[in-house]
Amino acid sequence: MREEIKESLMTADEVLDSMYGSFIVGEKNKENFYFDSVVTDSRNVCKNSLFVPLIGQSQNGHKYIPQAIEKGATVIFVAEQEYNLEKVRYNEMAAKNESVCFVIVENTLTALQYAAAAYVEKFPYLIKVAVTGSSGKTTTKEMIVSVLKQKFNVVYTQGNFNSETGLPLSVFNIRKEHEVGVFEMGMNRKNEIGEIAAVLKAKYALVTNVGTAHIGILGSRKNIAIEKRKIFKYVPSDGIAFIPAEDDYAEFLGENVRGKICYYGNSVSEEDGGAEFIKDCGLEGSVFKFQNEEIHLRNPGIYNYRNALGACVVANALGVSAKQIKAGLENFDFVSGRMETINVELKNGVHITLIKDCYNANPDSMMNVLDFCCSLKNINKKVYVLGDMLELGEKSKEEHEKVTKKAIETKPGLMILVGEEMRHGYEMAIKAGFTDVKYICSHDEKAMNEAAEMILAHAHENDVVLLKASHGIALERIVPIIVKEEK
């Protein structure tokens, strides 16, 4: 018998009932059933893990089951079709590893989601908050967490673990001591938010905006709005849907919401729960007043102010005081790779302001950061390194041209365009007669070094250098090449 030090996250019956699964070797496995973590990547398996092997287009996680066992997995899901193909092998594996419980399921991804939904139901008193949007959702989620931590014990999505697998894995971090759960929901296919919303069933849900991220997959902003509003499907009559007032799909998002609708944004008056914008401090952020508390948000850009307003209305609805909201936002740090604004010394001895916004990019977030750069005062010149925006489909050429045109309008001293899709922007810039532009066709290590050399050759004291691209371009690799190491 396993020494019972801790209670398993779920019992055998809870897991089996959630997905109508079955054990390979029958009921005797129940006495050994135990897991205290859930993983889908065999490299992350540790002692007492539940390993869920996923089947993708290029990988089948089932081939890593032996490695998972070696690393200490105690429960393993096996897709029915995989089991039927190799019954003898799996039966022998189960017989040889009596302490490991093999659970046959129809589909491992669906089983993970069903198990996660059943696990969430074990915590009926947890206040559940969901966040989605085309851009700003991770920053908004982190702001909400920072504010709610002033009053509650909070569990939340780490990083951007917000997908069809990431959200279910995230909820398995819920424990009895947690009072509030804040979880981010992303999408890159139809109904992904619908599926993971069914896992969490949040009482409070917020949309940051309806933009053009993944428009190449979903086809139109209307289709994106249809998907985003699925986050409100499980909001109960005593719950709240938080909707950005200025978004042109605001009314559409609120259709058929059962709970209360709370609009937030610049246009919402103080009387209706809004804020008073006081000052744009450029690289130093912004100052605004919420419920008579003056708040200095250090994150620059008017769009980060809008993100902060989302955090304010959620926190206010959950009974967080204005002083606590102020403390949470003023102590909020930059989210890695998202508008990280730092003063650095380059290897050529020049001091600049570096804006690292290279975790993700779409046309909306590109336009936002370029608007912000255009508004900057008391700087020397602007140097842009702009990389490909991915998943734009047939609209890619048009959107890269639009972004480049916008960048030119902000009058940069130098613009470096990186990646295959940015070729469209480069050709447009040359045709428009803009000469302070360089083009690098790839995004490999050689390309990063080439971009770094251009920055070091052109950057001067008090310049602002912006790095912005989709995560797949990995522009952050430029940073250690140009920045002087601290002793």
Side-chain angles (χ1 to χ4, degrees), residues 24-269:
I24 283 182
V25 292
E27 293 290 305
K28 73 175 187 178
N29 276 107
K30 279 189 178 183
E31 64 186 40
N32 292 322
F33 194 90
Y34 178 91
F35 67 93
D36 55 24
S37 65
V38 184
V39 297
T40 57
D41 188 332
S42 61
R43 294 168 295 185
N44 297 331
V45 170
C46 57
K47 184 180 179 183
N48 299 326
S49 289
L50 160 57
F51 175 53
V52 183
L54 301 176
I55 301 174
Q57 293 182 342
S58 59
Q59 282 276 19
N60 186 337
H62 288 76
K63 72 178 182 179
Y64 299 109
I65 288 177
Q67 291 94 315
I69 294 172
E70 286 180 15
K71 295 182 75 171
T74 49
V75 181
I76 295 174
F77 286 174
V78 179
E80 189 173 10
Q81 65 179 26
E82 295 292 319
Y83 176 69
N84 289 336
L85 286 172
E86 296 186 84
K87 279 188 178 181
V88 173
R89 175 172 171 266
Y90 280 109
N91 287 339
E92 289 177 350
M93 203 182 301
K96 183 179 178 181
N97 300 278
E98 292 187 355
S99 63
V100 181
C101 299
F102 292 82
V103 182
I104 304 172
V105 299
E106 183 176 350
N107 178 290
T108 51
L109 172 58
T110 303
L112 170 64
Q113 294 174 347
Y114 286 168
Y119 182 72
V120 171
E121 290 177 0
K122 291 166 65 76
F123 304 91
Y125 299 108
L126 182 76
I127 301 169
K128 294 171 291 185
V129 181
V131 180
T132 193
S134 293
S135 59
K137 55 184 173 292
T138 300
T139 299
T140 303
K141 178 258 300 181
E142 294 289 342
M143 286 180 174
I144 291 171
V145 170
S146 182
V147 171
L148 294 185
K149 277 184 173 180
Q150 306 303 309
K151 181 175 181 177
F152 301 105
N153 188 328
V154 185
V155 59
Y156 56 98
T157 305
Q158 298 296 318
N160 71 328
F161 246 49
N162 59 19
S163 66
E164 60 188 0
T165 57
L167 184 281
L169 292 175
S170 293
V171 302
F172 276 109
N173 292 319
I174 299 170
R175 297 294 183 267
K176 292 178 180 178
E177 63 269 21
H178 292 133
E179 299 169 289
V180 180
V182 183
F183 296 97
E184 181 180 331
M185 297 184 182
M187 69 170 188
N188 58 19
R189 63 170 176 82
K190 188 176 181 180
N191 201 41
E192 186 168 5
I193 286 181
E195 290 175 9
I196 57 182
V199 171
L200 187 63
K201 296 182 175 67
K203 182 175 182 179
Y204 303 95
L206 178 144
V207 173
T208 61
N209 49 54
V210 176
T212 53
H214 310 303
I215 199 166
I217 298 170
L218 294 167
S220 69
R221 285 187 66 224
K222 176 70 175 290
N223 289 340
I224 292 170
I226 289 171
E227 296 304 314
K228 292 296 182 186
R229 72 178 184 178
K230 290 179 181 178
I231 198 171
F232 299 137
K233 182 176 180 180
Y234 297 93
V235 171
S237 57
D238 61 343
I240 303 176
F242 300 94
I243 295 175
E246 284 91 27
D247 198 286
D248 50 351
Y249 280 94
E251 184 177 348
F252 180 77
L253 289 171
E255 289 180 1
N256 301 317
V257 170
R258 285 181 294 169
K260 175 184 174 182
I261 294 176
C262 175
Y263 292 103
Y264 69 96
N266 299 332
S267 63
V268 178
S269 66

Side-chain angles (χ1 to χ4, degrees), residues 422-442:
M422 271 297 176
R423 173 177 55 85
H424 302 301
Y426 176 71
E427 291 172 351
M428 188 278 295
I430 295 299
K431 190 177 295 185
F434 183 76
T435 57
D436 295 320
V437 60
K438 306 289 184 182
Y439 175 60
I440 303 171
C441 64
S442 66

Side-chain angles (χ1 to χ4, degrees), residues 228-478:
K228 292 296 182 186
R229 72 178 184 178
K230 290 179 181 178
I231 198 171
F232 299 137
K233 182 176 180 180
Y234 297 93
V235 171
S237 57
D238 61 343
I240 303 176
F242 300 94
I243 295 175
E246 284 91 27
D247 198 286
D248 50 351
Y249 280 94
E251 184 177 348
F252 180 77
L253 289 171
E255 289 180 1
N256 301 317
V257 170
R258 285 181 294 169
K260 175 184 174 182
I261 294 176
C262 175
Y263 292 103
Y264 69 96
N266 299 332
S267 63
V268 178
S269 66
E270 291 182 78
E271 292 75 20
D272 293 327
E276 177 192 353
F277 185 78
I278 297 175
K279 184 180 180 182
D280 183 350
C281 304
L283 291 167
E284 302 301 318
S286 59
V287 178
F288 67 98
K289 187 178 289 186
F290 184 75
Q291 293 184 351
N292 295 318
E293 287 290 337
E294 190 171 292
I295 299 170
H296 182 190
L297 181 72
R298 291 184 297 125
N299 305 79
I302 195 68
Y303 50 96
N304 273 320
Y305 166 60
R306 289 194 293 265
N307 294 336
L309 294 183
C312 287
V313 293
V314 171
N316 185 54
L318 270 60
V320 180
S321 71
K323 287 187 181 295
Q324 290 170 321
I325 292 172
K326 173 183 170 69
L329 288 177
E330 291 192 338
N331 291 324
F332 178 71
D333 207 348
F334 295 103
V335 179
S336 178
R338 294 170 171 85
M339 279 300 288
E340 286 184 83
T341 306
I342 52 177
N343 296 315
V344 298
E345 181 181 354
L346 300 183
K347 289 182 178 178
N348 61 3
V350 168
H351 296 84
I352 65 154
T353 297
L354 178 64
I355 302 175
K356 293 164 55 183
D357 197 3
C358 42
Y359 187 86
N360 210 349
N362 56 58
D364 303 302
S365 64
M366 278 281 197
M367 294 297 189
N368 283 336
V369 75
L370 290 171
D371 276 334
F372 167 70
C373 289
C374 185
S375 71
L376 292 177
K377 298 176 177 62
N378 302 318
I379 63 170
N380 185 29
K381 70 173 184 295
K382 299 180 283 284
V383 176
Y384 298 155
V385 184
L386 306 179
D388 285 353
M389 300 175 289
L390 306 178
E391 297 181 343
L392 295 180
E394 62 183 19
K395 293 184 178 291
S396 184
K397 179 177 183 294
E398 175 188 351
E399 295 297 344
H400 282 86
E401 288 177 345
K402 283 182 180 178
V403 162
T404 307
K405 182 176 183 293
K406 175 69 173 182
I408 293 171
E409 290 171 356
T410 68
K411 300 179 180 179
L414 175 66
M415 182 163 57
I416 304 168
L417 303 179
V418 179
E420 295 178 6
E421 295 303 311
M422 271 297 176
R423 173 177 55 85
H424 302 301
Y426 176 71
E427 291 172 351
M428 188 278 295
I430 295 299
K431 190 177 295 185
F434 183 76
T435 57
D436 295 320
V437 60
K438 306 289 184 182
Y439 175 60
I440 303 171
C441 64
S442 66
H443 59 271
D444 57 13
E445 292 300 328
K446 181 181 177 182
M448 296 302 107
N449 280 287
E450 190 176 346
E453 289 175 7
M454 292 177 186
I455 294 170
L456 292 172
H458 289 83
H460 292 87
E461 202 74 14
N462 201 31
D463 280 357
V464 171
V465 176
L466 167 68
L467 307 179
K468 178 71 174 174
S470 282
H471 188 51
I473 308 304
L475 286 186
E476 66 272 12
R477 291 174 291 168
I478 293 174

